[in-house]
Amino acid sequence: MKIILSPAKKMKINTEEACLGMPVFMRNTEQIMKEIQKLSYEEVKELWGCNDGIAKQNYERFAQMDLYHRLTPAILSYEGIAYQYMAPSVFEEGEFDYVQKNLRILSAFYGVLKPMDGVTPYRLEMQAKAKIEGTSNLYEYWGNQIYQEILDDSRTILNLASKEYSKSIEKYLQPEDIYITCVFGELSGEKVVQKGVYAKMARGEMVRFMAEHRIQDPEEIKQFDRLGYHFDSERSDDREYIFVKFS
């Protein structure tokens, strides 16, 4: 089973922790980097859709970027809410082994990352309309490479990623694939409403829960009961696991 998770926009450098490898699609990453380095400041600011402070920081990052030195393990580099609640910095050894084997971080820049792959800070979202090697956007550029890299012999994928990232593999799914999406929400009448920040918190907690229990069978994640969430068997099906928080 493979677990997929989105990256985070905010990143840090921690060169004290050793990386265990390099991302699998480095040729692609080098190509994306070179194309972005050709763009003007105004062009990349529009591509990123951010304010001047963030644009300046990341424009300088790309100008000086070194993909092979002063790297940080991916799981320790991302600082978003999901990663804060996952809290990988306090994982025990067996938990690191579990996520290294089972967790895959999707990335517009790197494609697919194992948790301990070495990365450098960057800014690039999958939905950005970056035209690389004649393609019109990054979904087209990556094609089915991300899906093919994630798939293992079990053909089971647990989706904890946002729609922006999960759609990079969903169009390539085959009938024999087992693809389960976790939804974390609250009831509004009879409808389950998923709120962005709380969903991100729960996704991080779910990775931690799975690592602590070394979960290999998706059935076992139905026991998840953190942050007030509980599995809702009536609203769930084989392809969508609904976890509801009651106020």
Side-chain angles (χ1 to χ4, degrees), residues 1-4 24-25 104-107 110-113 126 138-139 141-159 165-180 239:
M1 177 175 62
K2 287 293 183 289
I3 308 159
I4 60 171
V24 65
F25 295 122
R104 296 295 179 265
I105 302 167
L106 309 188
S107 167
Y110 286 103
V112 178
L113 291 165
M126 189 65 79
L138 289 163
Y139 294 110
Y141 174 75
W142 283 110
N144 71 348
Q145 290 185 96
I146 294 174
Y147 165 74
Q148 293 290 348
E149 178 62 24
I150 288 169
L151 204 64
D152 63 14
D153 291 341
S154 74
R155 303 194 74 94
T156 300
I157 301 171
L158 183 70
N159 174 27
Y165 286 89
S166 63
K167 69 183 289 187
S168 68
I169 68 169
E170 286 175 348
K171 68 180 292 186
Y172 303 105
L173 293 169
Q174 301 300 307
E176 61 268 31
D177 296 336
I178 300 170
Y179 184 74
I180 303 166
R239 297 304 169 107

Side-chain angles (χ1 to χ4, degrees), residues 75-95:
I75 200 170
L76 301 177
S77 181
Y78 294 114
E79 292 191 287
I81 294 169
Y83 295 86
Q84 293 173 29
Y85 277 77
M86 189 197 310
S89 61
V90 293
F91 272 176
E92 296 180 0
E93 183 176 349
E95 292 161 3

Side-chain angles (χ1 to χ4, degrees), residues 203-215:
R203 289 165 184 157
E205 280 282 0
M206 177 62 86
V207 175
R208 168 165 280 282
F209 173 80
M210 295 181 73
E212 288 176 355
H213 295 278
R214 316 294 197 270
I215 289 175

Side-chain angles (χ1 to χ4, degrees), residues 123-136:
R123 186 181 182 90
L124 189 65
E125 297 176 50
M126 189 65 79
Q127 61 192 4
K129 292 181 171 56
K131 296 175 172 57
I132 312 296
E133 292 188 338
T135 59
S136 59

Side-chain angles (χ1 to χ4, degrees), residues 180-197:
I180 303 166
T181 296
C182 289
V183 175
F184 302 94
E186 300 176 19
L187 290 180
S188 177
E190 288 301 309
K191 187 177 181 181
V192 177
V193 178
Q194 190 168 224
K195 298 178 181 178
V197 171

